Amino acid sequence: MQYGYFDNENREYVIDRVDVPVSWTNYIGVKDMCGVLNHTAGGYLFYKTPEYHRITRFRPNGVPMDRPGHYVYLRDDDTGEYWSISWQPVGKPLDQARYECRHGLSYSRYLCDYNDIKAEQTLFIPIEDPVELWDVKLHNSSGRERRLSVFSYCEFSFHHIEMDNKNHQMSLYASGSSFEDGIIQYDLFYEEDGYQFFTSNFTPDGYDCVRDTFLGSYRTETNPLAVERGECSGSTELGGNHCAVLHKKLVLQDGEDARLIFMLGEQGQENGKAMRKKYSDATYVDNCFAELAAFWDDKLSQLQIHTPNEGMNTMLNIWTLYQSEINVMFSRFASFIEVGGRTGLGYRDTAQDAMTVPHSNPQKCRQRIIELLRGLVTQGYGLHLFQPEWFDTQVKKQSFKSPTVVPTPDKNQIVHGLKDTCADDALWLIASIAEYIKETGEFSLLDEVVTYADGGSGTVYEHMTKILDFSTEQVGEHGICKGLRADWNDCLNLGGGESAMVSFLHYWALEYFIELADHIGKTDDALKYGAIAKNVKTVSQEVLWDGKWYARGITSKGRKIGVHSDVEGRVHLESNTWAVLSGVAGNEHGKQCMDSVDEYLYTPYGLMLVAPAYQTPDDDIGFVTRVYRGVKENGAVFSHSNPWAWAAEAKLGRGSRAMKFYDALCPYNQNDKIEIRQSEPYSYCQFIMGKDHTAFGRARHPFMTGSGGWSYFAATRYLLGIRPDFNQLIIDPCIPADWEGFTAVRKWRGATYNITVQNPDGVEKGVKTVSLNGKCLDGIAVPQQPEGSENDVTIIMG
């Protein structure tokens, strides 16, 4: 069953059947202001932080679905009938009206054709200003004059998510609204700079600022009293719940158009006046929208591919990069699931996100790397969840204590001990730094001095050594790295035992560092950490190999898990993929363990995290044994970890197997299975219910998941094999044998490479010849070319 289709020419996903089973979301904004919106304009807006600076209110997990939102109502003033452009919240029957939602890159467009009025509402945020624009276009195709009323509606938040949900004895009486010169001002009295404005490019015929006055008693957004009667009350108040309603009456002749622009922005009346003047010019609005398109043009142009796999083309050229970028821009805590109840940076999440898109967003990746380095303690572990603002030396202080200001705890509260440390967190950062340097050539980053979370400072290079030394020291009695509070799998705690995954990650990080140290001439360090890596590899092989696959870990009581003798939790995805991906597993063991992954964990929707799922609670293993079978970490298809299997199979040279795994998880391939998948087919979701669950195949938690970044990273760098090194661009594909080849355009360090890969012998891996601008080269590396140059690369596999 289909609810929409991919429009690759316009880089949009078009929802032409809007009664989708669950919300299909999108993100607008690329800097400080961000909106999370669904296919019916439900959602919320925030500035910098969804927890402490929420602008519009949202009621998560509510009924009806995902309200309130950023709505525009239309009313026929001759008949009194009214509807909303975005279908909801009025919700006209779909056999009487035609609705469509077009989710694009940092904008969403809602189209409605009802009662001979064609309407369109586009929501986006210009790059240069923190103001959300509602660009509304109307067309009368009725053959007669029409008298219409247009009403805007959004509900203001109390800024702090907790203030929206509790302590109403305070918050209900600490915010106010006013109206002057066509501008609504919203004021939070308990916040020094707590202002928003709402205005438009027209002189309003009416307004309402008090939510309950606009809606009316015992009503909702579905049937607002003011819209029903066709006029507002001019309500403002100090205290209460507030909204932004501007009313405009229009007379449209047959064939006539109208365009109205609403503006929701930061600060108060004075900025509202400036923004009103600026964005009342429709041509300027069009130019801002074009700038946004050019912004994404530039990002997407860094790598474009054309392969025999249309799903891969669509996802990698548009949607997977977009999802990866959204995660780097806004972290993981702004969605309809993570609704701002916690914010800041998750250490492991952010480190991985920053690793995946340095080619399209080097500035933000660099920013995230520095923020993470500042969240590292001198002992070498990262703060699992922290606010970057904690370490800012120049922060504007409010003159009084307020519940909405980001709190800065004391240093002794910021730095947690080992009992709250996740053993994998900081290891991911080694690869992020190395990949950033490989992309940009900015070796000077290594000498930059950065503070530690618990005081003092050191160079970036020194921070890296502390991370590696910490994992070297934190080993258990078997010589495997301790899992501490948890490794990547938060639900697998092992009582603080030993984690195979952390040892494999340690080896992976060591290999990255050794290569870097060698390249910059730090030979002694390369030798020192080379000896450590050799020991990690030897111990891991001796302790963790279980005959056909690798054990997942060892509990604090000395029991191995993820082994043949286990009735539950016999085979785990993380340990086996990382044994190969890290380079610990040799070719023979690598193929054996990945064959076991295919045998035990493969489903048509992707690879499950563990099988058989746990049924018996066992606190020596961890909370995962208390999760329902087939849900999240206990035997679901946990998407984040699936790309590790693609990369592992590519390292083993098995392109057909890698593509089989890729295609199973790929959302594009589930576009006609929405009755099963339910969630959007343009975004990777956190997990898909596993085969032990009654809802097998149902996807949940889109966008804000490491699935996006890792899917992009694994598919482009391992399957397509296009990856930068410190001084060269490597092209080493691993593809299905039946692919005749593929083409790609990759920009790297200012030069453009037009890449053609040919596979005349039907192999899955191996490069026979490389030519650059018609000249044959030795090996598979393409040397760096001058900035601004256009280069043709031909790869013959064999």
Side-chain angles (χ1 to χ4, degrees):
M1 186 185 298
Q2 288 189 10
Y3 286 80
Y5 60 92
F6 291 89
D7 180 349
N8 289 351
E9 183 177 349
N10 292 304
R11 298 189 311 218
E12 295 175 332
Y13 187 87
V14 183
I15 303 168
D16 53 8
R17 179 179 169 181
V18 291
D19 59 335
V20 298
V22 296
S23 271
W24 287 10
T25 51
N26 192 23
Y27 287 76
I28 65 173
V30 296
K31 287 188 177 178
D32 290 334
M33 181 177 276
C34 174
V36 190
L37 302 165
N38 81 340
H39 62 288
T40 64
Y44 60 90
L45 188 72
F46 66 89
Y47 181 68
K48 292 188 177 180
T49 161
E51 182 175 12
Y52 295 102
H53 205 108
R54 178 72 61 82
I55 295 172
T56 55
R57 186 169 291 153
F58 181 69
R59 299 180 183 86
N61 200 27
V63 178
M65 186 190 295
D66 300 331
R67 291 191 187 180
H70 298 185
Y71 303 131
V72 174
Y73 299 91
L74 303 180
R75 182 181 188 272
D76 187 323
D77 287 340
D78 289 322
T79 66
E81 186 178 18
Y82 59 90
W83 60 100
S84 41
I85 295 177
S86 52
W87 185 43
Q88 297 297 323
V90 175
K92 287 290 185 183
L94 296 181
D95 59 354
Q96 297 177 18
R98 183 181 179 277
Y99 296 95
E100 187 174 278
C101 170
R102 288 180 168 261
H103 282 324
L105 305 185
S106 297
Y107 70 90
S108 286
R109 178 172 290 135
Y110 306 93
L111 299 99
C112 170
D113 189 348
Y114 180 69
N115 202 9
D116 296 322
I117 298 295
K118 293 182 179 179
E120 178 182 304
Q121 174 190 3
T122 303
L123 298 176
F124 77 100
I125 297 169
I127 293 174
E128 63 179 281
D129 288 315
V131 55
E132 182 190 50
L133 302 181
W134 305 12
D135 189 358
V136 177
K137 299 175 182 178
L138 306 174
H139 176 76
N140 176 12
S141 59
S142 64
R144 58 187 174 87
E145 180 184 275
R146 301 294 294 274
R147 295 192 312 121
L148 303 172
S149 278
V150 182
F151 298 84
S152 65
Y153 180 78
C154 66
E155 184 178 342
F156 285 111
S157 165
F158 293 135
H159 273 200
H160 187 187
I161 188 69
E162 287 204 359
M163 300 300 290
D164 274 354
N165 294 313
K166 68 181 184 182
N167 199 21
H168 291 148
Q169 61 85 22
M170 174 182 172
S171 55
L172 273 173
Y173 310 106
S175 62
S177 54
S178 59
F179 177 85
E180 182 181 340
D181 296 331
I183 302 171
I184 291 172
Q185 177 176 277
Y186 178 60
D187 166 22
L188 276 167
F189 192 58
Y190 52 58
E191 188 174 319
E192 212 153 37
D193 300 309
Y195 297 95
Q196 271 87 43
F197 69 84
F198 190 88
T199 188
S200 64
N201 68 338
F202 55 81
T203 301
D205 293 307
Y207 65 91
D208 267 315
C209 303
V210 179
R211 181 194 70 184
D212 299 340
T213 301
F214 173 73
L215 295 180
S217 299
Y218 304 105
R219 290 169 178 258
T220 70
E221 301 93 343
T222 298
N223 57 345
L225 180 61
V227 176
E228 185 175 289
R229 70 187 181 192
E231 62 180 14
C232 293
S233 302
S235 59
T236 64
E237 192 167 86
L238 299 181
N241 292 293
H242 302 271
C243 63
V245 178
L246 295 178
H247 173 206
K248 182 62 177 175
K249 294 181 179 180
L250 299 172
V251 177
L252 289 184
Q253 302 301 321
D254 178 43
E256 190 176 1
D257 298 318
R259 187 172 182 183
L260 299 82
I261 300 167
F262 298 97
M263 307 151 209
L264 171 59
E266 270 297 296
Q267 303 175 32
Q269 278 276 352
E270 289 307 308
N271 194 49
K273 290 177 183 177
M275 294 297 100
R276 186 183 193 191
K277 181 178 180 181
K278 189 173 185 178
Y279 290 103
S280 286
D281 182 346
T283 301
Y284 187 75
V285 171
D286 290 339
N287 290 339
C288 289
F289 191 78
E291 286 178 7
L292 189 63
F295 173 89
W296 284 106
D297 278 342
D298 178 62
K299 288 183 177 298
L300 298 180
S301 70
Q302 301 304 310
L303 173 61
Q304 287 286 290
I305 67 164
H306 182 72
T307 77
N309 187 324
E310 282 304 313
M312 175 177 268
N313 297 340
T314 296
M315 296 304 292
L316 294 182
N317 287 337
I318 304 172
W319 293 102
T320 308
L321 178 65
Y322 180 56
Q323 182 175 359
S324 307
E325 283 273 1
I326 293 297
N327 277 274
V328 169
M329 290 175 184
F330 300 116
S331 189
R332 298 281 184 84
F333 303 125
S335 69
F336 283 6
I337 304 301
E338 294 271 13
V339 288
R342 57 175 183 158
T343 53
L345 299 180
Y347 210 101
R348 75 163 71 99
D349 295 340
T350 306
Q352 290 171 85
D353 292 340
M355 179 188 74
T356 60
V357 291
H359 68 303
S360 62
N361 202 340
Q363 297 86 0
K364 196 68 177 183
C365 290
R366 191 187 198 282
Q367 175 192 326
R368 293 302 193 206
I369 287 169
I370 297 297
E371 289 169 342
L372 291 169
L373 289 166
R374 292 166 75 193
L376 190 78
V377 303
T378 50
Q379 194 176 342
Y381 63 86
L383 303 182
H384 187 62
L385 179 64
F386 68 96
Q387 298 276 6
E389 295 87 353
W390 292 348
F391 309 112
D392 288 342
T393 55
Q394 295 179 333
V395 178
K396 181 182 178 182
K397 299 290 185 181
Q398 182 160 299
S399 60
F400 59 94
K401 189 176 181 180
S402 168
T404 66
V405 173
V406 179
T408 304
D410 295 333
K411 274 284 192 325
N412 59 356
Q413 294 176 308
I414 289 174
V415 178
H416 57 67
L418 285 180
K419 70 181 180 66
D420 294 313
T421 297
C422 290
D424 67 305
D425 274 347
L427 287 170
W428 301 101
L429 189 56
I430 301 294
S432 302
I433 294 168
E435 290 291 347
Y436 173 81
I437 294 172
K438 287 179 178 182
E439 184 63 45
T440 63
E442 189 189 341
F443 289 93
S444 60
L445 173 66
L446 296 171
D447 299 320
E448 191 167 322
V449 176
V450 183
T451 56
Y452 292 102
D454 55 344
S457 61
T459 65
V460 171
Y461 186 86
E462 288 167 344
H463 279 67
M464 296 173 78
T465 61
K466 286 183 181 292
I467 292 169
L468 296 171
D469 292 345
F470 175 78
S471 291
T472 302
E473 294 160 5
Q474 292 295 321
V475 296
E477 60 179 288
H478 299 88
I480 302 300
C481 286
K482 293 179 182 177
L484 302 179
R485 190 186 95 181
D487 57 26
W488 170 86
N489 189 333
D490 285 310
C491 291
L492 191 74
N493 314 114
L494 302 174
E498 296 166 75
S499 166
M501 184 176 181
V502 177
S503 275
F504 294 146
L505 278 176
H506 188 205
Y507 184 80
W508 182 66
L510 284 163
E511 290 292 285
Y512 262 108
F513 182 81
I514 293 161
E515 183 188 14
L516 176 61
D518 258 334
H519 190 80
I520 61 175
K522 291 187 177 289
T523 311
D524 289 346
D525 282 345
L527 291 171
K528 171 186 173 181
Y529 288 98
I532 294 172
K534 183 178 179 181
N535 180 64
V536 172
K537 186 173 185 176
T538 300
V539 171
S540 296
Q541 283 284 25
E542 290 176 352
V543 174
L544 298 171
W545 180 245
D546 192 52
K548 288 189 176 179
W549 61 79
Y550 287 90
R552 181 60 177 84
I554 306 169
T555 72
S556 59
K557 295 178 180 177
R559 173 164 58 103
K560 287 186 182 180
I561 70 161
V563 293
H564 281 79
S565 57
D566 284 327
V567 177
E568 302 170 14
R570 186 178 300 125
V571 179
H572 292 251
L573 185 60
E574 308 103 295
S575 50
N576 288 290
T577 54
W578 275 102
V580 179
L581 187 51
S582 66
V584 168
N587 190 60
E588 182 183 350
H589 282 181
K591 287 182 176 179
Q592 281 182 289
C593 75
M594 290 308 296
D595 286 346
S596 297
V597 164
D598 187 37
E599 178 183 353
Y600 284 90
L601 304 180
Y602 176 78
T603 81
Y605 304 105
L607 297 165
M608 297 181 296
L609 197 58
V610 60
Y614 289 103
Q615 299 186 65
T616 309
D618 186 339
D619 294 330
D620 289 342
I621 295 173
F623 187 74
V624 66
T625 63
R626 296 182 181 273
V627 177
Y628 288 132
R629 290 189 300 152
V631 178
K632 289 179 72 75
E633 288 88 350
N634 191 16
V637 175
F638 209 88
S639 302
H640 187 155
S641 51
N642 268 243
W644 303 339
W646 316 343
E649 289 290 2
K651 282 201 72 168
L652 295 170
R654 302 196 293 193
S656 295
R657 172 78 65 78
M659 193 60 63
K660 169 187 167 182
F661 291 166
Y662 176 89
D663 281 338
L665 189 72
C666 184
Y668 179 97
N669 294 331
Q670 297 171 30
N671 191 51
D672 59 351
K673 300 175 183 177
I674 300 305
E675 73 278 9
I676 299 172
R677 179 180 174 83
Q678 294 193 351
S679 293
E680 45 267 69
Y682 48 86
S683 164
Y684 285 95
C685 290
Q686 184 196 69
F687 73 97
I688 297 166
M689 297 291 193
K691 64 182 181 181
D692 289 329
H693 196 278
T694 53
F696 178 37
R698 180 192 295 165
R700 283 294 183 267
H701 304 183
F703 266 107
M704 293 307 197
T705 158
S707 316
W710 260 105
S711 294
Y712 191 83
F713 189 82
T716 58
R717 299 188 181 222
Y718 287 90
L719 276 69
L720 301 182
I722 304 170
R723 55 184 182 271
D725 204 348
F726 291 119
N727 60 0
Q728 57 190 354
L729 187 66
I730 294 172
I731 306 168
D732 184 17
C734 183
I735 58 177
D738 59 3
W739 277 24
E740 295 180 359
F742 66 90
T743 60
V745 178
R746 177 66 152 92
K747 295 181 180 179
W748 182 57
R749 299 190 190 177
T752 300
Y753 296 88
N754 302 310
I755 301 165
T756 300
V757 174
Q758 298 174 5
N759 188 19
D761 299 330
V763 301
E764 297 195 346
K765 192 173 179 67
V767 173
K768 184 186 294 183
T769 63
V770 179
S771 68
L772 172 65
N773 299 324
K775 183 182 294 184
C776 285
L777 301 174
D778 293 329
I780 60 172
V782 176
Q784 183 182 349
Q785 295 300 103
E787 189 170 340
S789 65
E790 189 100 6
N791 304 278
D792 294 326
V793 180
T794 301
I795 303 289
I796 308 295
M797 296 181 67

